[in-house]
Amino acid sequence: MKLTRIGGPTVLVELDGWRLLVDPTFDPAGRHYSFGWGTGSTKMAGPAIGVDELGPIDVALVSHDHHADNLDDAGRAMLPSVGAVVTTASGAGRLGAGGPGGSASGRAVPADRLHGLEAGESVTLSGTRPGLPTLVITATPCRHGPPLTHPIVGDVIGFAVRRQGEDRVAIWITGDTVLFGPLRRVADELSIDVMLANVGGVRFGVTGPLRYTMRGRDAVELVGLAAPRVATFAHYDGWSHFVDGEQGLRDALDASAASVHDRAVWLVDGVAVEV
């Protein structure tokens, strides 16, 4: 497996010939985006690889479509051209209509290539090229904020990707989430090869001390529970709403037990890293 960090949550996963793209974000730096309810963030860094350099994508895994730090305008524009899009059930409804504003806001993803899932549901995807194994992608639970914030933050999922016929998860992508009971249970129950965790400790001035994604120490706890062969990380820098950020993650890993620290692999912007 090869992982290429592109920026924010956007990672290219190359698995047995499949090219999977996590949360496409390709807008340039400098723009401020509103997330609603008085929250928002400024993009501080552009993508390490542009859409035109990316090459064909078999599957886009969109943890949620309604926050621009996980799906921005350029990322949204590319979705109709990929082989399949897997996202939340509610997000599939919006993307199938062309976006939050319906078909007038952009091209719709064709229905036969769009798969909306609730946590616990799966989709099976067969390769369109010779030699590609069949993949089973299961949505895993996320809570993108404190208790009772779902009406504000909306639906979010992670992704457990398996080869059909295998119990072991080839890669688990946590999505944007805080550390909570259902996430701990997934980490404890799954047998995981590679884990890709979104961290950064998101906070907003308007909501004070409330956090909307995991901090470094939360990620360390989750890695300890999941015990993957490799643990790696995304979505901890490049935006103004990260408070814990890269340094918080590095500090937590430096202070962690060897059973966690030795599993960690840092991704390099724009470079394919074999894991």
Side-chain angles (χ1 to χ4, degrees):
M1 188 188 307
K2 291 181 182 179
L3 303 179
T4 306
R5 184 177 124 114
I6 294 173
T10 310
V11 177
L12 175 64
V13 180
E14 296 176 87
L15 172 65
D16 296 341
W18 285 87
R19 290 169 53 83
L20 315 174
L21 187 65
V22 182
D23 284 345
T25 56
F26 291 93
D27 286 357
R31 180 176 165 188
H32 183 82
Y33 299 81
S34 174
F35 299 152
W37 298 82
T39 64
S41 185
T42 299
K43 189 170 187 178
M44 311 296 289
I49 299 173
V51 171
D52 57 345
E53 306 170 274
L54 192 60
I57 297 298
D58 297 305
V59 184
L61 302 173
V62 181
S63 65
H64 56 304
D65 69 300
H66 52 282
H67 291 160
D69 61 324
N70 291 83
L71 183 67
D72 61 15
D73 290 346
R76 189 181 301 275
M78 71 170 290
L79 290 183
S81 69
V82 308
V85 177
V86 185
T87 189
T88 61
S90 57
R94 291 185 290 267
L95 294 175
S103 59
S105 68
R107 292 169 56 205
V109 179
D112 61 344
R113 287 189 260 146
L114 183 58
H115 307 277
L117 303 178
E118 304 279 358
E121 295 180 338
S122 300
V123 61
T124 300
L125 299 178
S126 299
T128 58
R129 299 186 301 281
L132 293 186
T134 297
L135 297 183
V136 179
I137 300 174
T138 302
T140 59
C142 293
R143 197 184 77 203
H144 196 2
L148 306 180
T149 55
H150 178 263
I152 298 173
V153 298
D155 297 332
V156 185
I157 54 174
F159 305 96
V161 182
R162 295 180 174 87
R163 302 170 184 90
Q164 189 177 51
E166 295 186 5
D167 291 332
R168 188 167 178 83
V169 171
I171 184 167
W172 178 35
I173 301 150
T174 67
D176 279 10
T177 183
V178 296
L179 188 60
F180 72 126
L183 193 70
R184 288 186 174 94
R185 285 194 290 275
V186 167
D188 186 52
E189 292 169 358
L190 294 180
S191 174
I192 300 165
D193 187 34
V194 176
M195 171 180 165
L196 176 61
N198 284 3
V199 287
V202 167
R203 286 171 58 185
F204 301 102
V206 71
T207 55
L210 301 180
R211 295 182 186 270
Y212 294 84
T213 62
M214 289 187 287
R215 298 163 292 179
R217 65 186 186 185
D218 300 321
V220 162
E221 179 181 341
L222 193 65
V223 172
L225 288 170
R229 179 180 62 83
V230 168
T232 192
F233 310 94
H235 212 19
Y236 52 78
D237 64 359
W239 289 81
S240 63
H241 61 335
F242 292 121
V243 175
D244 197 54
E246 179 177 346
Q247 193 58 53
L249 177 58
R250 288 190 179 275
D251 290 346
L253 286 170
D254 287 345
S256 67
S259 60
V260 171
H261 184 274
D262 294 349
R263 300 176 195 272
V265 172
W266 286 89
L267 300 182
V268 180
D269 288 354
V271 177
V273 176
E274 189 90 36
V275 294

